Amino acid sequence: MDFIELVKTRFSVRKFTDKAVEKEKLEIILATGNAAPTAKNLQPQRIYVLKSEDALTKLDSLTHCRYGAGTVLLFTYNTDEDWKNPLEEGVHSGIEDVSIVATHIMLQAAELGLGSCWCNYFANSALEKLFGLPENEKSVLVMPVGYADQAAKPSPMHSDKRPIEDIIRFL
């Protein structure tokens, strides 16, 4: 499958089977995230792999967005390490860097036949506290990863795309 087809057919999976993600596939996914570009290659991202019953139960106490997956990736960034724009106070790259990494991972998972779902429906500060994250780490998203249940379907809005001429501007 070529890249554009992969992007068009991939969808947010909201129902997973109980089949575990193979160690080899998880290693490929994580290596892909490690290869993703970040601002000035500072790599402020941290990826926590939630697989234990304790970790998944903690996550379930904060959000319903695990959707039965046995593996969930928690993405954070280190605020001491993300790029700071010297031209404007308060502008930094942490969220963008994590988003790039998470997107690479999401698409790699799809290429490997796995489903995923980008989720940020949780209280970030509560998640950071519950998992005992360092104070200089900020959470951005969690991503359940696994095998899609046969009943998993794209949401009705999945293929509703605005016309490209509404999005693109040439200056």
Side-chain angles (χ1 to χ4, degrees):
M1 173 181 318
D2 65 3
F3 185 72
I4 190 70
E5 198 58 34
L6 176 73
V7 171
K8 287 180 176 181
T9 58
R10 185 239 154 242
F11 65 93
S12 294
V13 173
R14 292 183 177 86
K15 186 171 185 177
F16 292 89
T17 69
D18 58 2
K19 180 179 178 182
V21 174
E22 296 86 345
K23 181 179 183 242
E24 298 78 19
K25 286 186 177 184
L26 184 58
E27 288 172 353
I28 292 168
I29 289 167
L30 296 172
T32 298
N34 194 50
T38 59
K40 291 190 75 176
N41 199 31
L42 293 174
Q43 303 169 31
Q45 74 274 9
R46 301 295 183 272
I47 304 168
Y48 294 86
V49 181
L50 310 180
K51 290 181 72 156
S52 71
E53 187 176 327
D54 179 56
L56 297 173
T57 299
K58 282 181 181 179
L59 183 63
D60 289 343
S61 74
L62 296 173
T63 183
H64 67 275
C65 294
R66 180 163 66 96
Y67 305 116
T71 301
V72 178
L73 305 178
L74 162 57
F75 293 83
T76 73
Y77 68 94
N78 183 314
T79 59
D80 298 330
E81 296 176 359
D82 69 338
W83 178 77
K84 312 307 188 268
N85 186 332
L87 304 177
E88 188 163 345
E89 183 72 27
V91 176
H92 58 95
S93 68
I95 293 172
E96 290 88 350
D97 289 337
V98 166
S99 296
I100 293 166
V101 170
T103 300
H104 277 64
I105 283 176
M106 181 178 67
L107 294 171
Q108 179 64 74
E111 184 184 61
L112 294 171
L114 299 169
S116 65
C117 189
W118 185 297
C119 304
N120 53 7
Y121 186 77
F122 56 87
N124 297 62
S125 58
L127 180 136
E128 293 157 11
K129 182 177 179 182
L130 189 62
F131 283 99
L133 300 182
E135 282 192 33
N136 63 347
E137 282 188 35
K138 299 298 175 199
S139 59
V140 178
L141 70 125
V142 295
M143 184 181 291
V145 176
Y147 288 93
D149 188 274
Q150 286 185 342
K153 301 278 186 258
S155 67
M157 67 213 163
H158 173 76
S159 58
D160 290 345
K161 302 294 180 193
R162 295 175 66 181
I164 197 165
E165 54 273 3
D166 289 355
I167 307 294
I168 306 301
R169 302 286 189 270
F170 291 93
L171 302 176

